Each structure stands twice: as structure tokens, then as C-alpha cells.
Amino acid sequence: MELGNPDVELLIKIMCNLKLTTPKNLINLSAQDKQKQEELIYILWYLVSRNIICCDLDSPINMNSEIWIDDLFANRYDQE
């Protein structure tokens, strides 16, 4: 998976607009279809593992944890 992948870019773009959210909210805003949401969850955790989307790694991570976009990507898209 790389930057430029449409699903990766979708999640990054939404995170740039939200700044701070939860995985549950991000996924719900990104897709209505349950199968697509499941695919996006996989991509979300990939982005967390790459430090593109950040969270408190000293606490248990779940779908209600706070997540935010890394500062290097925060201005990748104009806010809409």
C-alpha cells in the first residue's frame, strides 16, 4: 500500500479535515458499505503503523481511541 492509493488518500483527506477523531467515526464517514468499511479499517491500522495517523500507543487502542493526523500530512489537502 502506498500514498496515492485511493483508499489511503481518502482516509488522509478526511483526517486532514477532522484533525482529531476516532477510528469508528473516521470509518463511518469514509464509507457506508460494511464491506468497504472493513477494507478501510485494515488501511487505517496500516496508516497508524506508518505513523501517518497517530494515536496514544501507551494506551489500549480500539475503535473509540483518539486518533489524529501526523503534522507532516496535516496540510496535505485544503480543508473543505
Side-chain angles (χ1 to χ4, degrees), residues 7-65:
D7 290 335
V8 168
E9 293 297 325
L10 172 67
L11 293 179
I12 292 173
K13 184 175 185 177
I14 293 172
M15 283 301 304
C16 285
N17 288 323
L18 295 175
K19 302 291 186 212
L20 181 70
T21 192
T22 64
K24 182 178 181 178
N25 189 49
L26 176 60
I27 296 303
N28 286 336
L29 289 172
S30 301
Q32 300 301 312
D33 178 70
K34 291 294 180 189
Q35 182 176 350
K36 186 63 174 181
Q37 288 180 343
E38 291 170 0
E39 293 170 13
L40 291 174
I41 289 170
Y42 171 80
I43 294 169
L44 167 62
W45 297 128
Y46 166 79
L47 293 172
V48 169
S49 76
R50 302 295 307 209
N51 296 315
I52 296 170
I53 293 178
C54 304
C55 62
D56 180 0
L57 296 175
D58 293 326
S59 299
I61 303 169
N62 60 50
M63 294 299 286
N64 294 310
S65 299

